[in-house]
Amino acid sequence: MTHQAEHCLAFARRHVAGRDLGASMPAELWRAMAAAGLFRIGLPLAHGGDGAKLSVVAAAERALIAGGGSPGLGTVWAAHQMIARHFLAGFGTEAQQAMWLPRIASGASTASIAISEPKVGAHPKLLTTRATRTATGWRIEGEKSFLTNGPIADLFIVLAITSEEAGRKRYSLLLVPESTPGLSRTVAADYPALHPAGHCGVRLDGCEVSSDAVLGVEGDAYAAMALPFRDAEDALGVSGTAGNIAHMVELLAAALPADAGTDLAAPVGRLLGLSALLDLAATQVAAALDEGRIEQGLMIGIRTLAAHIAGEIRVMGPLPEVAAGLAALDVGLSVARGPRAVRAARLAMGGGRI
């Protein structure tokens, strides 16, 4: 376990375990995470971070969830780190990085990525939010949905059409501060199992930003930034799943009576073993992404094994304390079920290679 993961585990056991965090991110917990340096993990050294690799971020997320038992808190933290790491640190100009990364590393700011739109999701052919060039920059019109950390964000990174070539939409990402006139939040579906993680939509009614608000290469945002971010999201997602399973199974083991016989203890022991496999596989997924490889097969296997473990826990008659973990796991496994099925099919049709 990395020292960052050990730090997150200790923090979660002290500040999170056994606590009802409520529907929204508690301000005092956010401040405690900032004071403990949790928001520095994985961000650039030059801008207040610790310079750690993605695999370290993944291990820290697993530890935060395993120690505290709040998958939603893991979601809040991982989104905070990964949006800053992938988009701002990966593609921002020196000025953009200097403006936002130190604030994000200190917990003074957080960003939310705005790609999906109501009723169409993130399908590039169906997105309609558009940015039109003005004398001083860009004017943005459209609506986005399901923004993780949107309710607490003060920076929105918005995907918008900025041109069309031969009928093909060309997308750019634009930095839109919360205070921009014309930007307003909209209500999104609530997922109690993921509390305190919050989601919202945003409406952009003539939001004007300067020409230096474009992140990365103009017109190439979907392929160059949005699609690779999906791989990073998946890698962090399976790490969170592994942490959630570890927490639930540890609760089952701790609840065994001192005189438990083999019939009672052996099933829990088998689940502990399977949980260890999940942790190892999640570690390999993140380490591979550090090297530029995508382990789709391992990610499919992690989700499948997690669903199997959840089924065994339900058969046992789970403790009330693990009910929240099971509910969060169900939500996580249901997200993007269609695209995940396509990836599983490709794995099979490719002879096991993807």
Side-chain angles (χ1 to χ4, degrees):
M1 183 179 288
T2 66
H3 72 85
Q4 291 96 332
E6 291 176 347
H7 184 48
C8 285
L9 185 67
F11 178 92
R13 286 174 172 166
R14 179 178 178 183
H15 294 277
V16 183
R19 177 181 174 186
D20 181 1
L21 299 181
S24 57
M25 183 68 200
E28 78 281 0
L29 180 57
W30 184 274
R31 289 192 293 269
M33 293 169 74
L38 269 58
F39 298 136
R40 299 181 60 246
I41 300 173
L43 299 189
L45 283 167
H47 295 291
D50 68 357
K53 295 181 178 180
L54 178 67
S55 54
V56 174
V57 180
E61 183 192 18
R62 288 200 305 279
L64 190 62
I65 296 174
S70 175
L73 180 64
T75 297
V76 171
W77 180 83
H80 179 85
Q81 304 310 115
M82 287 306 300
I83 290 170
R85 175 189 173 88
H86 178 82
F87 291 106
L88 292 167
F91 300 95
T93 64
E94 289 186 9
Q96 289 167 342
Q97 292 180 3
M99 171 67 182
W100 290 106
L101 286 176
R103 292 181 56 81
I104 291 172
S106 71
S109 289
T110 193
S112 183
I113 180 69
I115 295 176
S116 296
E117 296 182 4
K119 299 182 180 179
V120 300
H123 197 299
K125 292 183 179 180
L126 302 178
L127 299 177
T128 60
T129 297
R130 185 176 295 271
T132 305
R133 197 183 297 274
T134 68
T136 57
W138 300 90
R139 180 182 177 89
I140 310 170
E141 300 277 356
E143 186 174 356
K144 296 294 182 178
S145 63
F146 203 70
L147 278 63
T148 301
N149 284 357
I152 61 173
D154 57 351
L155 175 65
F156 295 95
I157 304 176
V158 178
L159 185 77
I161 303 164
T162 49
S163 64
E164 291 193 33
E165 298 176 4
R168 182 185 177 189
K169 299 173 182 176
R170 307 292 297 188
Y171 289 95
S172 301
L173 282 171
L174 299 105
L175 303 182
V176 185
E178 175 191 28
S179 58
T180 304
L183 185 147
S184 59
R185 290 180 174 87
T186 60
V187 176
D190 185 35
Y191 293 89
L194 295 183
H195 289 167
H199 301 82
C200 72
V202 291
R203 187 172 290 114
L204 302 117
D205 294 321
C207 293
E208 295 199 7
V209 295
S210 62
S211 57
D212 59 4
V214 174
L215 185 70
V217 177
E218 181 186 327
D220 195 33
Y222 198 90
M225 291 181 269
L227 286 180
F229 182 65
R230 187 179 299 170
D231 296 326
E233 276 190 307
D234 283 348
L236 268 289
V238 295
S239 289
T241 296
N244 187 15
I245 290 290
H247 177 75
M248 290 190 288
V249 176
E250 289 288 351
L251 284 176
L252 292 175
L256 286 172
D259 58 351
T262 300
D263 289 346
L264 188 60
V268 177
R270 286 192 289 269
L271 293 184
L272 285 167
L274 292 176
S275 176
L277 280 177
L278 281 184
D279 187 77
L280 179 61
T283 299
Q284 292 299 315
V285 166
L289 204 56
D290 278 340
E291 299 171 0
R293 294 182 291 109
I294 302 168
E295 292 284 0
Q296 289 285 6
L298 273 179
M299 288 191 280
I300 291 168
I302 288 170
R303 295 188 189 100
T304 303
L305 184 53
H308 171 78
I309 293 172
E312 290 205 15
I313 292 174
R314 288 188 173 96
V315 169
M316 291 177 182
L319 299 168
E321 293 87 346
V322 307
L326 288 172
L329 182 63
D330 288 342
V331 172
L333 294 177
S334 69
V335 172
R337 184 169 289 170
R340 288 173 180 171
V342 170
R343 292 180 195 133
R346 287 177 180 166
L347 182 64
M349 298 302 290
R353 299 180 299 275
I354 195 167

